[in-house]
Amino acid sequence: MFLFLVIALAVVVAAVTLAVVGGGESGPLPDAAPERVRDALPPDRPVDRGDVERLRFPLVVRGYRMADVDDALGRLGAELAERDARITDLESALAGARAAAHRHVVMDKPAQEEQQ
C-alpha cells in the first residue's frame, strides 16, 4: 500500500512538472470577452411587459453579472418614475378639469332658476 502511494505521488509530481514546463511556451490564455446582455431592453421605445418577461441575464460563476442587472434595474426604475410622474400630472389635470366643470355647473344653476 505504501509503495502504491509513493508511485502515485511520483506520477502526480511528474505530470504537474511536465504541465508547468511543457505548457509555458504558449503563454497565458487570452482573456475571454465577458458575456453581456445584448439589447436587453429596447432603447428606442418604452419598456413594456413583454420586454421584462423576455429579459434574461447570462449566468456567471457566482450568479448574474452585477453590471447587467444594475443597468436593467436602473432603466426600469427610471421608466417607472417617468410613468408615475405622468400619471400624477394627468390625475391633477383631471381633478382640475372636474373642479372647473363643477364650479361652472354650480354658478350656472342659479342663473337658470332666475330666468324661469
Side-chain angles (χ1 to χ4, degrees), residues 9-21:
L9 181 63
V11 169
V12 170
V13 169
V16 170
T17 304
L18 286 175
V20 170
V21 173

Side-chain angles (χ1 to χ4, degrees), residues 64 78 87 100 102 104 114:
Y64 297 106
I87 289 170
H102 181 66
H104 180 68
E114 290 176 5

Side-chain angles (χ1 to χ4, degrees), residues 25-100:
E25 296 172 10
S26 63
L29 293 175
D31 290 335
E35 185 179 350
R36 298 278 302 176
V37 174
R38 291 190 185 105
D39 300 326
L41 299 173
D44 57 340
R45 64 175 173 78
V47 176
D48 62 13
R49 180 180 178 163
D51 295 327
V52 175
E53 288 174 352
R54 286 187 298 274
L55 183 61
R56 297 290 179 264
F57 298 105
L59 292 175
V60 293
V61 177
R62 291 179 36 190
Y64 297 106
R65 188 172 307 282
M66 288 174 42
D68 291 340
V69 176
D70 290 344
D71 291 346
L73 290 176
R75 169 83 187 274
L76 291 172
E79 287 200 18
L80 287 174
E82 183 179 321
R83 288 179 187 174
D84 288 346
R86 178 79 173 138
I87 289 170
T88 301
D89 290 344
L90 291 173
E91 286 177 342
S92 65
L94 180 62
R98 284 181 178 164

